[in-house]
Amino acid sequence: MKSTELFFLLAYAVAFYAFIIHRSVQLSRDHHTKLFGLRPGWLISQRLNDVSDAQWRNFRANLPILTIVFTIFALLANVSRTLFHFKAKGMSLIWIVISLAYLLYLHGACIVFIILIASLNYLLVKIFARTKYFSFIFWVFNLFFLICNRVYEGYSFSIFGQHWAFLDNFRGTFRWHICFNFVVLRMISFGYDYHWAHQDSRSNYKKHIQHCHICKSGKICYQVLQERSVPDDKFSFNIYLSYLLYAPLYLTGPIINFNAFASQLDVPQNHFSVRNVAWYGVRWVFSLLLMEVMTHLFYYNAFAISGAWRHLSPLDVFIVGYGVLNFMWLKFFLIWRYFRFWSLICGIEAPENMPRCINNCHNLESFWKNWHASFNKWLVRYIYIPLGGSQRKLLIVWVIFTFVAIWHDLEWKLLSWAWLTCLFFIPELLFKSAANAFQATNAFRVFVLRELRAVAGAVTITCLMVANLVGFVIGASGINWLTSRFLEKDGLPVLAGMFVSFYVGTKLMFHVQDFKQSRH
């Protein structure tokens, strides 16, 4: 029965993607003259390349110089560790020197603002970490600077007096307050890890080691590195500063917590062998080639930023929206894995940010665990658990997603995205609660529950598409247009087709899960 179902599901999936690819190529060819951000291609003859996304365009253009710079950084760090047998204190000084040189190029004189705020945060932690007012004072301080940095766009030296105004001519090549969002997450991590270091252990390591195949093999997994507190001497200012400014992860992450960073500064990671790291890099190169093929054939992002999607049929709007989300996933996949690769070479393991493909997530919880996974780990550790965890999940998701929206930027469309996501979370959580209470005592009940989960998955994927299109493509003002367009006569069949496709996709994900479970 399952094999027959799998055959039909695969046949539908092949037909679905064949149609999506054919229609995407046709759309790109027919509308390329109306789109912004297309440049002469190099990979496929007579095809333009979609470099309309500023983040991807800048990363792609700077790849050669970034690779040269990080090769030099990795050589300096690894040779210094080998020759002088440096531990945490020595390696922190090496990384401070390397990272300050890197930041001086990126931010110029604005590095003063970073060091000043970081120093104030360090003093605040050392003074208040053992008091009952710590959490309140600490969050107010960090949220204050997170918001003020954006409102005042990184400040101006002239506000300190006209004799300092000349420094505004030396602000570097990259806006420091954009990168500082990641620094804020690290400052909060340092503060709480120091705060919790003087309390009882928050993890049962013996229980974890019994179930973790990595720890069983004699290596140390990231979860243990994260949860296991480091000695007091590791909370020094130089290790703290090297953590905040650590060059390989400074620009984009992945986000690593202080405990994990400080312990690996002392003893380099042993989870990945040299061969594993090399293969990781080779796979990244193949993924880059995939992105180049994609941007030469499909101009999804150019449709989004040009506003051309407003003139398309509902079917084509769906194709562009689905394509934009896949483009965004692959873009972040490449950026995060690139910097994680260099961090691994330098002996520091950070969490993987995209452990699962976007097309293999059928509920909101798994999607957010696998989209920006290191940020998810950070949110769980520093917001979700301290606020009560699963006992108050329905309330906490509002706090978390509002923070995530503000952390990204002060825009109404991001707040709309956050609150839409929270609304979509409610039925999913209620359905999960009902499914857990439902006793599947026979084959019929198992079948019914599986079908209901597939329907719920199709609804969730649809909601995810809407929320992310609002947040990153059409904005809050486009909700009414999107709704009315799909509820028109020619939009309803597309809506039904979307739902059936997502239902089929969810059922395929169940088969993937079953296969993985049978292997284990």
Side-chain angles (χ1 to χ4, degrees):
M1 178 68 180
K2 276 193 174 184
S3 59
T4 305
E5 179 189 68
L6 180 60
F7 173 79
F8 283 108
L9 292 175
L10 287 172
Y12 184 96
V14 169
F16 172 82
Y17 280 110
F19 173 76
I20 292 289
I21 291 169
H22 171 74
R23 185 59 187 156
S24 296
V25 172
Q26 196 174 36
L27 278 171
S28 300
R29 185 181 63 242
D30 294 346
H31 295 272
H32 73 273
T33 55
K34 307 170 192 173
L35 305 180
F36 307 144
L38 302 182
R39 300 287 185 272
W42 67 274
L43 187 65
I44 301 172
S45 62
Q46 298 180 339
R47 293 292 300 188
L48 296 171
N49 190 17
D50 183 358
V51 288
S52 56
D53 183 87
Q55 193 176 34
W56 174 247
R57 183 172 63 250
N58 291 333
F59 174 74
R60 183 176 176 272
N62 287 298
L63 256 179
I65 187 67
L66 276 172
T67 303
I68 293 168
V69 167
F70 281 113
T71 300
I72 295 169
F73 287 174
L75 284 171
L76 284 173
N78 290 331
V79 169
S80 299
R81 181 189 286 117
T82 304
L83 288 180
F84 303 107
H85 306 288
F86 283 145
K87 294 294 184 181
K89 187 177 179 181
M91 286 310 299
S92 66
L93 292 173
I94 292 292
W95 276 114
I96 286 173
V97 172
I98 289 173
S99 299
L100 284 176
Y102 183 51
L103 266 66
L104 203 59
Y105 168 75
L106 288 176
H107 307 314
C110 293
I111 197 172
V112 172
F113 295 125
I114 299 170
I115 302 297
L116 181 61
I117 298 170
S119 301
L120 289 172
N121 182 75
Y122 183 80
L123 286 173
L124 185 147
V125 169
K126 289 292 185 174
I127 294 168
F128 294 101
R130 303 193 193 198
T131 69
K132 62 181 179 181
Y133 309 109
F134 171 71
S135 290
F136 175 76
I137 296 170
F138 191 53
W139 275 104
V140 168
F141 175 87
N142 281 279
L143 288 173
F144 173 79
F145 279 107
L146 184 66
I147 293 169
C148 284
N149 291 349
R150 286 304 181 104
V151 170
Y152 295 101
E153 296 186 343
Y155 315 109
S156 169
F157 283 100
S158 60
I159 64 175
F160 301 104
Q162 284 305 309
H163 54 288
W164 296 110
F166 75 96
L167 290 173
D168 286 320
N169 298 318
F170 304 96
R171 298 186 71 91
T173 59
F174 204 90
R175 293 174 295 169
W176 75 271
H177 58 284
I178 303 297
C179 298
F180 199 78
N181 285 14
F182 285 98
V183 177
V184 166
L185 299 182
R186 296 181 198 118
M187 293 196 309
I188 292 171
S189 175
F190 171 81
Y192 269 113
D193 284 1
Y194 181 71
H195 175 64
W196 289 327
H198 303 97
Q199 298 177 5
D200 293 334
S201 174
R202 304 174 76 242
S203 272
N204 186 337
Y205 298 116
K206 289 183 180 178
K207 187 177 179 182
H208 167 79
I209 290 168
Q210 288 173 358
H211 296 90
C212 178
H213 68 279
I214 297 171
C215 295
K216 279 181 181 178
S217 67
K219 299 177 181 179
I220 302 175
C221 76
Y222 182 80
Q223 187 175 336
V224 169
L225 293 171
Q226 172 182 268
E227 299 292 338
R228 187 176 61 191
S229 186
V230 294
D232 260 9
D233 64 325
K234 297 294 189 294
F235 291 96
S236 62
F237 184 73
N238 59 315
I239 293 179
Y240 162 73
L241 197 60
S242 69
Y243 166 61
L244 297 190
L245 309 181
Y246 178 59
L249 304 181
Y250 174 77
L251 275 175
T252 65
I255 301 155
I256 184 172
N257 88 317
F258 180 78
N259 284 344
F261 177 82
S263 58
Q264 292 180 94
L265 207 59
D266 208 18
V267 180
Q269 66 87 22
N270 66 356
H271 182 193
F272 289 84
S273 66
V274 174
R275 184 179 178 181
N276 293 149
V277 174
W279 178 236
Y280 189 85
V282 170
R283 289 172 60 197
W284 184 88
V285 171
F286 282 119
S287 300
L288 178 64
L289 288 173
L290 175 63
M291 176 61 117
E292 289 298 306
V293 171
M294 183 178 178
T295 53
H296 277 75
L297 292 177
F298 316 129
Y299 305 149
Y300 297 128
N301 198 72
F303 271 103
I305 68 159
S306 304
W309 50 270
R310 286 185 177 272
H311 308 293
L312 301 177
S313 68
L315 175 62
D316 292 337
V317 170
F318 160 70
I319 291 171
V320 168
Y322 182 68
V324 167
L325 295 181
N326 278 274
F327 164 79
M328 286 174 60
W329 181 86
L330 187 55
K331 174 187 76 170
F332 289 124
F333 173 95
L334 285 164
I335 292 172
W336 282 324
R337 288 206 175 190
Y338 177 82
F339 290 110
R340 183 174 185 257
F341 170 69
W342 285 110
S343 185
L344 285 169
I345 289 174
C346 295
I348 304 288
E349 179 192 355
E352 186 69 86
N353 260 343
M354 296 293 201
R356 186 187 291 184
C357 178
I358 187 176
N359 296 306
N360 191 22
C361 297
H362 60 83
N363 59 56
L364 287 167
E365 199 166 349
S366 68
F367 175 82
W368 291 116
K369 280 182 179 178
N370 292 286
W371 177 268
H372 195 166
S374 67
F375 194 15
N376 179 76
K377 288 178 185 291
W378 187 96
L379 292 166
V380 168
R381 180 170 170 80
Y382 300 110
I383 299 181
Y384 181 72
I385 293 174
L387 287 180
S390 58
Q391 296 177 346
R392 300 176 183 172
K393 186 180 279 190
L394 280 173
L395 293 174
I396 296 171
V397 291
W398 292 88
V399 177
I400 287 176
F401 277 97
T402 301
F403 171 77
V404 170
I406 293 170
W407 180 81
H408 275 92
D409 208 345
L410 298 175
E411 291 184 12
W412 277 113
K413 73 174 185 178
L414 287 173
L415 284 171
S416 303
W417 158 81
W419 295 335
L420 267 175
T421 304
C422 292
L423 281 174
F424 296 151
F425 247 117
I426 295 171
E428 178 175 305
L429 293 174
L430 293 175
F431 179 81
K432 277 187 176 180
S433 178
N436 290 334
F438 184 79
Q439 298 295 319
T441 53
N442 54 50
F444 177 73
R445 286 196 168 196
V446 170
F447 170 78
V448 169
L449 184 60
R450 192 177 177 92
E451 291 302 308
L452 287 174
R453 286 177 59 220
V455 171
V459 172
T460 299
I461 296 169
T462 305
C463 293
L464 267 171
M465 274 201 67
V466 171
N468 284 290
L469 286 174
V470 168
F472 301 103
V473 181
I474 64 175
S477 60
I479 296 176
N480 291 335
W481 180 90
L482 190 69
T483 305
S484 62
R485 198 75 180 86
F486 276 93
L487 292 179
E488 290 175 358
K489 187 177 179 181
D490 58 338
L492 287 172
V494 177
L495 203 59
M498 281 171 54
F499 188 82
V500 170
S501 299
F502 294 150
Y503 167 83
V504 170
T506 306
K507 293 293 288 287
L508 276 171
M509 293 178 216
F510 292 165
H511 281 279
V512 171
Q513 289 173 359
D514 292 344
F515 175 72
K516 286 181 177 178
Q517 287 174 0
S518 67
R519 286 183 65 189
H520 288 302

